[in-house]
Amino acid sequence: MRKNIFVTGLPGCGKTTLIEKIASGIEVPVAGFITREIRERGKKVGFSIDTFGGPKGILAYVGEEGPLWVGKYAVRIETLENLAIPSLSAGSPDILVVIDEIGKMECLSPAFRRAVLDVLDSVNPVLGCASSLRRLAQS
């Protein structure tokens, strides 16, 4: 029986750190992505998406123009859809899929929400984190 495990909690409580430690400490292939803070001079100015074994990109950044915003961050939906979504496709059932963060920014993309629901219904085990999973079901 497959299991999908999610860690939830407030921002800054260590969800991503826990997910990274688990993913790096197991002996199975890993797909998916990690969302990291971007800091400049000690201040949080954005977020990046780092795929396992693949490309990285900026998800959101302060001071940019854009049609979609979460707080002070302009969200780059194209980065999410071009990097995170493909990283969720596992080539075989023995691959652990890591989804680090299902949050407000990520859920702005209907395509991302569909991709997450698809991988949750797949044969692959999923390890993820989210501030709230309620956003995932919203259309």
Side-chain angles (χ1 to χ4, degrees), residues 41-119:
R41 291 182 233 135
K43 290 187 174 187
K44 183 168 46 173
V45 295
F47 297 91
S48 70
I49 291 177
D50 298 355
T51 63
F52 284 93
K56 301 175 181 186
I58 295 175
L59 171 62
Y61 205 79
V62 172
E64 290 189 345
E65 297 292 323
L68 299 172
W69 291 80
V70 172
K72 63 184 179 180
Y73 302 102
V75 181
R76 297 180 180 179
I77 291 298
E78 67 281 355
T79 300
L80 179 71
E81 292 178 350
N82 292 332
L83 297 183
I85 292 174
S87 77
L88 300 179
S89 298
S92 68
D94 62 334
I95 295 175
L96 172 67
V97 178
V98 173
I99 305 172
D100 175 42
E101 200 53 47
I102 299 173
K104 288 180 184 179
M105 291 180 193
E106 295 81 5
C107 286
L108 290 173
S109 166
F112 176 79
R113 292 195 310 266
R114 280 190 304 274
V116 170
L117 292 172
D118 288 346
V119 77

Side-chain angles (χ1 to χ4, degrees), residues 2-8 18-19 22 96-100 102 120 124-130 133:
R2 73 176 192 279
K3 298 285 185 187
N4 296 324
I5 299 172
F6 275 84
V7 177
T8 63
L18 176 63
I19 297 275
I22 292 170
L96 172 67
V97 178
V98 173
I99 305 172
D100 175 42
I102 299 173
L120 289 174
N124 294 90
V126 175
L127 176 62
C129 72
L133 291 175

